[in-house]
Amino acid sequence: MTSGHGGWHAISAAQAYGVQTLFTLSGAHIFPLFDAAVGGKDAVTAAGDPRTAERTGPLRLVDVRHEATAVFAAEATAKLTRTPGFAAVTAGPGVTNAISGLTSAWFNAVPVVVMGGRSPDFRWGSGALQEMDHVPVVAPVTKYAATAHDATQIGAMTAAAFEAATSAHRGPAFLDVPMDIFYAPVDAPDPVRHVDPDRVPDSDALTRAAALVAGAERPVLILGSDVWNDFAEEAAVRFAETLQIPVIPNGMGRGVVPSGHPLLVTRARSQALKQADVVIVVGTPLDFRLGYAKFGPAEAPAEVIHVVDTPEQISAHANPTAAVAGDVSLCLDGLAQAWEAHSQHRSRDSWLRDLQDAAAAAVAKDADALTSTVDPIHPARIYGELTPRLADDAVVIGDGGDFVSFAGKFVEPRKPGHWLDPGPYGCLGTGLGYAMASAIAKPSSQTVLLMGDGAAGFSLMDVDTLVRQNLPVVMVVGNNSAWGLEKHPMRLLHQYDVAADLQPGLRYDDVVSALGGAGETVADPEQIGPALDRAFAAGVPYLVNVLTDPEIAYPRATTGL
């Protein structure tokens, strides 16, 4: 039983789902949440000061400079820890500022709960401050969206939001509470976390899929974010090693098969997907990142097996040859068992060797770019200096276009759950929120945030939050003074570009220094490594602003259209 205003009931429900941190931006509509998060007035007095209470209360309270950052931080918490992320925003513009974060979590299938303030019920319709019905606005990008008009139901409805967010197929949920309802004192039972229902894959579907794999000569296994989200990383490695299938990761699937593993052929991706006869896609949509599932030679397209966490996620547009839905571990283990039951399997040793050779050749070909001494700096040189300095448990975060595309090429995580990027929604500005979540969730690991200079403009003010929270994130800006992902395609289509140039040589490091961090600008490729060493040793938020060649575009194979 919990007694008190609605904040106590909401925080109790969040704790039942493993939440440890609440990300927010201050607003009077949500003061009850703050009061309960820090433990109330007596706890603040006992802590000695409010700032200490923010770190030692029932939930750590982290206040940011923009509501979008709060939701991105909650999203990253969920991605990294696989417990739901939690954010609270005030009414009206607080909620509308949060919509990009909610939508990012929706596209990435990440369990996030956002609680919103709301104008009081007793004033509704009178034109109260920030009076707005949020639910119809957020409903299209949430699994659950509701308003609690009964104070006795705040705890139960908060729990319902967390239940919706954490149930497969995962995603964000939203609950707002009118201010007068939030403050009403009530007694209510503590919510009980429900047991997730079994998601056992269909045996006939497993048999059909296994037959395709057994007959494949050139199979490829693509591991997507839901392999990690659904706690299936060990099953994925078992499956790949049992069948000896070459692996290409996607999204949070990066690191499931660690860097250096003989089955990891990321650098032979193009050859693998163009020549495959069967492609097993696990835990990711068949979207633009995968060429809409147009695999294999044009004259003999590959057969596609789509493995997903719920039947609703089976691709409708790609019409896969076979599909298996359920708990991803059970799907993969069941598929391996059904494959082993086949009396004959096609030989494919030469296929794996060919892809291993192609991957090795691609790595060798990149050596010149990674050690380039050209002026202006080749963006690849940054990764030639950065990757040897990354610890095995480093969390690497990408927030940008072309510059982060180079990261996707050159950074291969050694562990799962240590790579973050915006995902298929492609929302710039996620970086600072993701970085603070990483530094809080994994304080003993390096947190490295890679930003294009365009992306840096979205959220760099939240370095102030890193400083106030004592989070020593290393930031690297690839500063080519342009919207590179747009500049070069517009030139291709129109033979000129407009609205694509940024201020040359802008000192983003000075912005960080002004906010209480530190940094430096690098224009000499030989100074990148020493600058990174200083960043890792600084113990404060530190930005290395590297001036790169604006004429070098990432050689991408897809535009997303």
Side-chain angles (χ1 to χ4, degrees):
M1 182 71 70
T2 296
S3 300
H5 58 60
W8 293 101
H9 297 273
I11 295 302
S12 176
Q15 289 179 302
Y17 281 82
V19 172
Q20 297 181 354
T21 304
L22 173 61
F23 297 96
T24 192
L25 193 152
S26 190
H29 293 97
I30 51 176
F31 282 173
L33 281 173
F34 299 169
D35 183 50
V38 299
K41 182 180 178 181
D42 288 346
V44 173
T45 301
D49 66 89
R51 304 294 81 75
T52 300
E54 290 170 359
R55 290 167 169 78
T56 59
L59 296 186
R60 180 170 180 171
L61 187 63
V62 178
D63 63 303
V64 300
R65 300 300 298 269
H66 194 288
E67 286 91 354
T69 298
V71 185
F72 290 138
E75 180 193 14
T77 298
K79 284 184 172 184
L80 291 166
T81 68
R82 297 185 289 193
T83 57
F86 191 26
V89 296
T90 199
V95 173
T96 57
N97 281 345
I99 288 176
S100 286
L102 281 167
T103 309
S104 181
W106 173 261
F107 272 78
N108 289 321
V110 175
V112 169
V113 171
V114 174
M115 290 196 72
R118 186 179 171 100
S119 297
D121 270 356
F122 83 92
R123 285 290 190 196
W124 196 258
S126 302
L129 174 67
Q130 298 170 340
E131 181 180 305
M132 175 183 177
D133 189 5
H134 309 120
V135 170
V137 178
V138 302
V141 290
T142 54
K143 292 184 65 183
Y144 174 101
T147 299
H149 292 290
D150 180 348
T152 65
Q153 293 300 306
I154 291 173
M157 293 181 74
T158 304
F162 277 102
E163 179 67 17
T166 55
S167 300
H169 185 64
R170 298 165 182 84
F174 176 85
L175 177 68
D176 64 3
V177 184
M179 192 173 182
D180 52 342
I181 306 301
F182 232 156
Y183 269 108
V186 296
D187 297 330
D190 292 329
V192 178
R193 182 170 183 170
H194 296 289
V195 177
D196 292 337
D198 291 335
R199 291 179 287 123
V200 179
D202 179 73
S203 58
D204 290 340
L206 290 170
T207 300
R208 287 192 296 272
L212 291 172
V213 181
E217 187 176 356
R218 300 181 306 280
V220 173
L221 175 62
I222 296 175
L223 300 177
S225 293
D226 280 338
V227 173
W228 170 252
N229 294 340
D230 213 29
F231 299 84
E233 64 273 16
E234 293 181 2
V237 174
R238 280 196 303 271
F239 180 80
E241 292 180 342
T242 298
L243 277 67
Q244 287 294 291
I245 294 183
V247 175
I248 295 171
N250 174 279
M252 292 294 290
R254 294 168 64 93
V256 168
V257 175
S259 175
H261 193 289
L263 294 176
L264 187 67
V265 294
T266 312
R267 299 305 310 280
R269 174 190 173 107
S270 178
Q271 179 175 324
L273 298 184
K274 287 178 180 178
Q275 297 181 4
D277 59 357
V278 171
V279 179
I280 309 160
V281 181
V282 185
T284 190
L286 302 178
D287 58 18
F288 71 93
R289 296 170 297 170
L290 297 178
Y292 308 103
K294 301 298 183 183
F295 305 127
E299 66 276 9
E303 294 179 296
V304 178
I305 301 169
H306 201 193
V307 180
V308 292
D309 61 355
T310 59
E312 295 77 16
Q313 295 306 307
I314 297 171
S315 175
H317 73 84
N319 192 26
T321 312
V324 182
D327 180 292
V328 175
S329 292
L330 296 180
C331 291
L332 292 171
D333 286 341
L335 186 53
Q337 291 167 10
W339 174 84
E340 288 177 321
H342 278 264
S343 57
Q344 292 185 334
H345 305 109
R346 293 283 294 273
S347 173
R348 47 178 177 260
D349 290 345
S350 62
W351 167 242
L352 177 58
R353 284 196 301 271
D354 287 347
L355 294 181
Q356 289 169 334
D357 291 345
V363 171
K365 184 179 178 181
D366 289 332
D368 287 345
L370 291 167
T371 58
S372 172
T373 59
V374 298
D375 182 12
I377 293 170
H378 193 299
R381 175 63 188 268
I382 298 170
Y383 297 102
E385 297 293 341
L386 175 63
T387 54
R389 291 171 165 84
L390 294 176
D392 286 355
D393 64 346
V395 177
V396 178
I397 301 162
D399 182 11
D402 262 19
F403 181 59
V404 173
S405 295
F406 281 103
K409 181 177 183 178
F410 296 125
V411 178
E412 286 193 337
R414 299 180 181 95
K415 293 184 177 182
H418 286 71
W419 166 270
L420 296 174
D421 63 34
Y425 188 49
C427 186
L428 295 182
T430 60
L432 268 294
Y434 281 15
M436 68 181 66
S438 170
I440 290 169
K442 297 181 181 293
S444 63
S445 298
Q446 297 168 327
T447 292
V448 180
L449 170 57
L450 306 167
M451 292 184 286
D453 49 339
F458 280 82
S459 60
L460 205 56
M461 194 67 192
D462 260 301
V463 167
D464 168 65
T465 307
L466 299 182
V467 171
R468 287 184 290 111
Q469 295 290 327
N470 192 28
L471 303 174
V473 170
V474 171
M475 295 161 279
V476 182
V477 171
N479 185 349
N480 64 357
S481 65
W483 296 100
L485 192 57
E486 287 70 37
K487 185 180 185 73
H488 300 286
M490 187 172 183
R491 283 183 180 177
L492 179 67
L493 293 172
H494 294 272
Q495 292 74 56
Y496 71 92
D497 67 86
V498 293
D501 291 318
L502 300 172
Q503 189 178 144
L506 192 62
R507 295 295 300 269
Y508 297 99
D509 54 310
D510 284 350
V511 176
V512 171
S513 296
L515 292 170
E520 59 189 284
T521 288
V522 177
D524 178 356
E526 299 299 331
Q527 293 304 310
I528 298 172
L532 290 172
D533 291 336
R534 288 188 285 273
F536 283 118
V540 298
Y542 196 105
L543 187 144
V544 180
N545 182 41
V546 185
L547 306 184
T548 62
D549 190 343
E551 297 304 317
I552 297 177
Y554 182 78
R556 63 188 62 257
T558 178
T559 63
L561 302 178

